[in-house]
């Protein structure tokens, strides 16, 4: 074979897969390879309108030959000094869409040859006319085989018969999650988005499949086994293992067990301060590189660094049947390490040292939200489910931890948790006033103690309003004329404001608690009149000074 | 009355645990911790108190009655009798 024949044979092979333009045209096509959107459509491509028109006009035969191959791109290039140089590539589907849109603009009206070429291109990129081989797929440890036409029919049409939000039965012979994993693999392997033009609805369906919008598929074929050369090399202290695992509920799922162990480890272990202070270098760094050091870790000998935490966690995950991968430097003791594991249908990343000052080794100790234990699945419902597990396991740990504590801090902590979980009941001011009056009427205590009790109750009933500076209680000396004498008696005065006392002091309404327990409204003017006449007087309560009625404008008194 | 609520709460913990209803079980465990404190209803706002009663599946019409009962001072006359005064 002559060198000319060799060259021809090479050129022939290349031209089956690449559209080769004349050298005269190469500059034109180089110039027209910007990624733009057509003004009439939403398609963008590597070739602009002029390049597409030129290719269809001058190279339609080559174009169709290239479009008919198995590749997902239409690549355009030229020959120079015996070598092929690529100008640009464009997805077949995008090329076909662009060509169709240009034709719809009337650009090729009357030109039968080009219009026929576009028709042929449309046919080649029509998914309903695709001829594909049998599709084989492995899902975790099981193998499946499918007729590709059946899958294509489902992707273009069949899916419309399903409501995936509620559908529980098998689809295409597989459980929902497995089916959507199979569809994803089919789409990727056959490069459907690159090679075929789907209608808008089908395209949207395919996009959502790839985002895991319908099902949870992220975990399939991932972390089916554990390969960790350190796994059998070290045995943790039995007492330490017991400390972590002893109270773990027996009925926990694998995911819950993984979460529980992570939190317990974060609560028990601590980052070595010397290692941190020495910038992770020096003699202290050497001691941490010894894998066997993990066998000495106990409740009191609990200082570790990131890769030690990861290794300890890995050993415990293995104990409860969870497979994992260690991410980081392959050599133990060099650089940061974290774990990614598979528990049930979740792929989870665990890093207790996202930062030395502020990671979960700190967060777990003060019952703060964790930030190092993250579900990596794409499906939103799956992530939400994992987050719910994480929250519940954490809350249960906190509750069990403090079951023997009785101090105020714990009560407040639980109250805050309660507020987070439950939407609060709502009561109107009128309802609250009525409840207070009923409480006041039924309180059978001597006067001073009754006032103490009612103040206590009022602070709870009007707690929200007090916090918002819309409610206040003042005890004053309310004098009463009894025969020829004036008797002093403590009198409760309530002040209510719809905004705040500071914002609109003049819009405060006042009530006194009468002897029979009822609330009687009293005007500002009457209060001031009584203060002026001496019938009302502030009680000097000693340390802290006088607590004045808010919203009154009387000389010498502070408006709250 | 507080003991009655504690008993209700315990039954709900068992019920939700059996039904594997994690969220409600956790809520009941939190309530359990709150109810351990004899002064619980003097430490929560009335809104929180009513919410606790709601979560214990008490009828809304009974909230006010039960709340008044829970926040009623223990009868001091009885104490005087006990002390023989």
């Amino acid at each position: 074979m002559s060198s000319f024949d060799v060259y021809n044979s090479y050129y022939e092979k290349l031209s089956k897969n690449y559209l080769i333009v004349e050298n005269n045209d190469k500059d034109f096509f180089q110039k027209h390879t910007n990624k733009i959107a057509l003004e009439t459509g939403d398609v963008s491509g590597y070739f602009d309108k002029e390049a597409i028109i030129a290719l269809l006009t001058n190279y339609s035969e080559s174009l169709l030959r290239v479009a008919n191959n198995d590749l997902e791109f239409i690549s355009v290039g030229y020959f120079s000094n015996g070598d092929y140089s690529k100008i640009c590539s464009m997805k077949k589907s995008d090329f076909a869409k662009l060509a169709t849109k240009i034709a719809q603009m009337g650009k090729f009206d009357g030109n039968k040859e080009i219009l026929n070429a576009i028709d042929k291109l449309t046919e080649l990129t029509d998914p309903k006319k695709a001829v594909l081989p049998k599709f084989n797929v492995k899902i975790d440890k099981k193998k499946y085989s499918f007729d590709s036409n059946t899958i294509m029919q489902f992707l273009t049409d069949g899916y419309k018969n399903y409501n995936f939000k509620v559908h529980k039965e098998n689809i295409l012979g597989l459980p929902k999650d497995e089916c959507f994993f199979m569809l994803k693999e089919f789409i990727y392997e056959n490069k459907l988005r690159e090679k075929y033009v789907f209608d808008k609805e089908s395209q949207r369906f395919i996009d959502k499949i790839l985002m895991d919008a319908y099902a949870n598929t992220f975990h399939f074929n991932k972390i089916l086994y554990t390969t960790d050369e350190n796994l059998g090399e070290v045995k943790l202290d039995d007492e330490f293992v017991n400390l972590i695992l002893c109270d773990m509920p027996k009925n926990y799922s694998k995911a819950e067990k993984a979460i529980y162990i992570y939190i317990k480890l974060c609560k028990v272990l601590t980052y070595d301060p010397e290692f941190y202070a020495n910038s992770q270098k020096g003699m202290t760094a050497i001691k941490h590189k010894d894998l066997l050091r993990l066998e000495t870790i106990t409740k009191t000998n609990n200082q570790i660094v990131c890769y030690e935490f990861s290794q300890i966690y890995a050993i415990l995950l293995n104990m409860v049947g969870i497979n994992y991968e260690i991410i980081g430097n392959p050599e133990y003791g060099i650089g940061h390490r974290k774990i990614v594991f598979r528990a049930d249908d979740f792929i989870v990343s665990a890093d207790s040292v996202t930062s030395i000052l502020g990671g979960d080794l700190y967060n777990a100790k003060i019952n703060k939200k964790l930030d190092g234990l993250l579900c990596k699945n794409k499906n939103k419902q799956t992530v939400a489910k994992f987050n719910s597990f994480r929250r519940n396991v954490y809350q249960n740990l906190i509750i069990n931890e403090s079951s023997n504590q009785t101090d105020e801090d714990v009560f407040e902590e639980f109250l805050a948790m309660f507020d987070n979980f439950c939407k609060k009941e709502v009561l109107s001011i009128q309802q609250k006033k009525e409840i207070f009056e009923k409480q006041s009427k039924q309180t059978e205590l001597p006067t001073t103690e009754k006032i103490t009790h009612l103040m206590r109750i009022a602070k709870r009933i009007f707690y929200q309003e007090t916090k918002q500076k819309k409610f206040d209680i003042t005890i004053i000396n309310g004098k009463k004329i009894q025969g020829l004498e004036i008797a002093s008696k403590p009198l409760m005065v309530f002040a209510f404001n719809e905004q705040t006392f500071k914002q609109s002091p003049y819009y405060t309404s006042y009530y006194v608690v009468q002897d029979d327990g009822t609330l009687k409204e009293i005007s500002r003017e009457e209060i001031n009149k009584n203060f002026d006449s001496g019938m009302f007087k502030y009680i000097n309560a000693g340390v802290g000074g006088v607590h004045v009625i808010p919203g009154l404008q009387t000389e010498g008194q502070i408006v709250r | 009355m507080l003991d009655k609520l504690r008993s209700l709460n315990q039954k709900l913990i068992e019920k939700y645990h059996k039904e594997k209803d994690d969220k409600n079980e956790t809520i009941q465990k939190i309530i359990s911790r709150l109810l351990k404190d004899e002064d619980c209803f003097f430490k929560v706002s009335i809104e929180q108190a009513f919410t606790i009663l709601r979560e214990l599946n008490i009828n809304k019409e009974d909230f006010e009655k039960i709340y008044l009962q829970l926040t009623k001072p223990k009868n001091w006359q009885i104490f005087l009798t006990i002390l023989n005064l």
Side-chain angles (χ1 to χ4, degrees):
Chain A
M1 210 186 224
S2 71
S3 55
F4 183 77
D5 290 329
V6 168
Y7 180 85
N8 265 352
S9 163
Y10 171 57
Y11 183 92
E12 209 181 299
K13 246 186 208 166
L14 220 57
S15 61
K16 277 192 180 137
N17 291 327
Y18 302 101
L19 198 162
I20 300 167
V21 300
E22 302 288 326
N23 276 1
N24 295 340
D25 292 337
K26 76 170 195 267
D27 290 339
F28 170 84
F29 286 110
Q30 298 270 29
K31 191 179 158 190
H32 291 278
T33 56
N34 295 324
K35 193 173 180 177
I36 56 157
L38 249 191
E39 58 195 354
T40 55
D42 58 358
V43 177
S44 64
Y46 292 102
F47 294 111
D48 68 12
K49 196 167 74 177
E50 281 71 31
I52 302 278
I53 292 168
L55 285 169
L56 282 164
T57 309
N58 303 320
Y59 294 94
S60 59
E61 202 185 302
S62 302
L63 185 61
L64 286 177
R65 186 178 59 244
V66 164
N68 203 21
N69 69 21
D70 206 36
L71 300 176
E72 67 270 27
F73 288 99
I74 289 175
S75 282
V76 176
Y78 61 94
F79 248 94
S80 174
N81 299 325
D83 260 328
Y84 172 77
S85 294
K86 189 170 92 173
I87 296 171
C88 195
S89 286
M90 188 168 174
K91 288 185 221 171
K92 271 183 189 167
S93 56
D94 285 346
F95 194 102
K97 276 188 230 173
L98 225 80
T100 307
K101 285 209 186 298
I102 296 171
Q104 283 168 356
M105 284 158 71
K107 193 68 198 174
F108 303 117
D109 282 357
N111 192 327
K112 260 193 181 171
E113 200 186 318
I114 293 177
L115 290 172
N116 283 344
I118 293 174
D119 283 344
K120 186 73 187 156
L121 200 56
T122 305
E123 205 182 302
L124 287 170
T125 53
D126 184 352
K128 291 181 180 174
K129 296 196 171 132
V131 177
L132 295 169
K134 216 169 182 59
F135 179 61
N136 298 315
V137 66
K138 206 171 164 189
I139 305 177
D140 282 347
K141 296 172 188 175
K142 287 185 187 167
K143 288 181 185 172
Y144 300 91
S145 192
F146 293 89
D147 171 51
S148 291
N149 286 336
T150 307
I151 301 173
M152 274 302 227
Q153 196 278 331
F154 181 83
L155 289 171
T156 51
D157 222 16
Y159 71 91
K160 293 171 190 168
N161 299 324
Y162 294 84
N163 178 353
F164 295 116
K165 276 187 185 165
V166 301
H167 191 85
K168 300 247 185 270
E169 275 92 52
N170 283 1
I171 306 169
L172 298 177
L174 287 174
K176 190 168 142 189
D177 287 351
E178 281 81 347
C179 174
F180 276 94
F181 177 77
M182 179 274 289
L183 290 172
K184 263 172 97 171
E185 294 292 287
F186 183 82
I187 292 165
Y188 282 130
E189 196 173 296
N190 291 293
K191 299 197 188 330
L192 296 191
R193 290 181 305 168
E194 291 82 359
K195 286 184 181 175
Y196 300 101
V197 179
F198 290 85
D199 62 59
K200 266 194 176 151
E201 216 184 302
S202 299
Q203 185 61 60
R204 206 164 23 238
F205 175 60
I206 287 170
D207 289 342
K208 282 175 118 179
I209 291 174
L210 298 177
M211 282 163 40
D212 268 6
Y214 298 111
N216 176 34
T217 73
F218 187 75
H219 59 292
F220 287 122
N221 294 350
K222 289 190 172 79
I223 315 181
L224 299 174
Y225 311 96
T226 295
T227 40
D228 177 8
E229 59 181 15
N230 293 331
L231 187 54
E233 299 299 312
V234 62
K235 186 179 177 304
L236 298 177
D237 178 76
D238 288 338
E239 245 183 72
F240 177 75
V241 171
N242 191 52
L243 172 71
I244 303 299
L245 299 181
C246 64
D247 290 329
M248 187 167 70
K250 302 273 184 286
N251 63 345
Y252 267 179
S253 64
K254 278 190 176 169
E256 287 167 316
K257 283 179 183 172
I259 295 167
Y260 182 95
I261 293 169
Y262 178 83
I263 298 171
K264 281 295 281 280
L265 283 176
C266 287
K267 281 182 177 288
V268 169
L269 300 172
T270 180
Y271 200 89
D272 182 355
E274 201 184 346
F275 186 79
Y276 166 62
N278 275 331
S279 305
Q280 301 155 53
K281 291 177 194 155
M283 286 305 296
T284 185
I286 294 171
K287 99 175 172 215
H288 285 292
K289 284 184 185 181
D290 180 8
L291 183 66
L292 292 178
R293 181 180 176 268
L294 300 187
E295 294 186 352
T296 68
I297 298 296
T298 62
K299 189 177 171 181
T300 46
N301 180 31
N302 61 349
Q303 292 181 352
I304 46 84
V305 296
C306 62
Y307 46 81
E308 287 176 315
F309 182 99
S310 293
Q311 196 63 58
I312 293 169
Y313 190 35
I315 295 168
L316 292 167
L317 285 177
N318 181 65
M319 274 185 189
V320 296
I322 294 172
N323 289 318
Y324 63 87
E325 265 174 32
I326 293 193
I327 309 295
N329 196 300
E331 194 183 329
Y332 182 84
I334 308 285
H336 186 66
R337 273 185 165 198
K338 65 178 185 183
I339 280 199
V340 175
F341 61 86
R342 177 170 168 178
D344 307 318
D345 297 344
F346 305 105
I347 298 290
V348 183
S349 161
D351 186 354
S352 64
V353 189
T354 46
S355 69
I356 295 172
L357 302 179
D360 286 343
L361 287 174
Y362 165 75
N363 293 331
K365 286 177 181 66
I366 60 159
N367 296 334
K368 196 169 162 277
K369 192 174 169 210
L370 304 172
D371 62 22
L373 195 66
L374 302 169
C375 177
K376 309 306 279 182
N377 294 58
K378 301 277 179 265
N379 178 261
K380 285 182 186 164
Q381 287 80 4
T382 305
V383 174
K385 192 173 165 191
F386 179 81
N387 291 343
S388 167
F389 280 168
R390 187 181 58 200
R391 193 173 45 243
N392 289 342
V393 170
Y394 200 10
Q395 301 283 17
N396 279 330
L397 251 170
I398 294 169
I399 288 164
N400 291 334
E401 244 180 14
S402 57
S403 59
N404 296 318
Q405 291 171 277
T406 56
D407 59 58
E408 284 306 308
D409 287 343
V410 173
F411 187 92
E412 289 303 319
E413 204 176 306
F414 275 80
L415 199 55
M417 272 197 266
F418 182 70
D419 285 343
N420 282 338
F421 268 96
C422 303
K423 194 175 168 191
K424 276 206 280 273
E425 287 286 320
V426 173
L427 288 92
S428 65
I429 288 286
Q430 190 51 39
Q431 274 176 291
K432 291 185 183 189
K433 282 178 185 166
E434 284 166 11
I435 291 172
F436 176 82
E437 278 184 335
K438 284 178 188 170
Q439 184 61 267
S440 184
K441 281 175 189 165
Q442 75 173 12
T443 300
E444 292 166 358
L445 284 170
T447 308
T448 310
E449 285 69 41
K450 180 169 177 170
I451 286 177
T452 307
H453 183 76
L454 292 180
M455 274 196 71
R456 205 180 173 204
I457 295 295
K459 281 177 182 173
R460 292 294 126 196
I461 292 175
F462 301 105
Y463 176 77
Q464 301 275 54
E465 290 77 12
T466 307
K467 239 172 65 165
Q468 292 161 0
K469 306 239 187 286
K470 294 177 178 183
F471 172 78
D472 193 71
I473 311 172
T474 315
I475 313 291
I476 60 171
N477 179 352
K479 293 184 182 179
K480 252 187 166 165
I481 297 169
Q482 285 177 346
L484 296 171
E485 289 178 358
I486 297 176
S488 287
K489 194 180 171 179
L491 183 68
M492 280 177 87
V493 180
F494 285 3
F496 289 96
N497 194 301
E498 283 195 22
Q499 294 185 341
T500 67
F501 298 118
K502 202 172 177 181
Q503 271 179 302
S504 54
Y506 292 109
Y507 293 97
T508 305
S509 53
Y510 303 95
Y511 294 80
V512 292
V513 181
Q514 300 192 109
D515 289 344
D516 65 355
T518 52
L519 290 169
K520 186 188 170 201
E521 192 160 3
I522 181 171
S523 68
R524 170 185 286 100
E525 291 71 32
E526 210 178 320
I527 294 176
N528 281 329
K529 191 173 145 196
N530 278 315
F531 269 110
D532 290 341
S533 66
M535 292 304 285
F536 282 176
K537 210 176 163 193
Y538 281 113
I539 300 171
N540 188 343
V543 173
V546 176
H547 180 109
V548 300
I549 299 170
L552 294 180
Q553 283 288 58
T554 306
E555 197 184 323
Q557 291 172 347
I558 303 153
V559 174
R560 285 181 159 269
Chain B
M1 177 56 77
L2 198 55
D3 282 337
K4 281 188 188 159
L5 297 184
R6 287 169 180 153
S7 170
L8 261 173
N9 167 247
Q10 197 48 47
K11 288 195 174 106
L12 286 169
I13 290 176
E14 285 161 19
K15 172 182 178 302
Y16 291 131
H17 182 75
K18 214 172 168 181
E19 290 171 3
K20 293 188 193 240
D21 185 342
D22 292 331
K23 183 184 173 186
N24 280 317
E25 189 185 345
T26 303
I27 291 172
Q28 292 304 320
K29 282 185 175 176
I30 293 170
I31 292 174
S32 171
R33 185 58 195 80
L34 296 174
L35 293 180
K36 265 195 175 134
D37 195 322
E38 285 292 326
D39 279 347
C40 169
F41 286 88
F42 290 98
K43 291 181 177 178
V44 303
S45 68
I46 192 170
E47 289 88 350
Q48 286 166 327
F50 277 27
T51 309
I52 290 172
L53 297 178
R54 181 192 74 207
E55 293 298 325
L56 292 173
N57 291 342
I58 287 167
N59 289 330
K60 196 159 184 168
E61 307 86 69
D62 296 330
F63 285 0
E64 194 179 295
K65 187 177 77 185
I66 293 174
Y67 182 73
L68 288 169
Q69 190 65 23
L70 289 164
T71 51
K72 193 176 170 180
K74 288 186 175 63
N75 195 333
W76 71 286
Q77 295 282 9
I78 294 173
F79 285 125
L80 290 179
T81 314
I82 292 167
L83 294 169
N84 287 321
L85 290 172

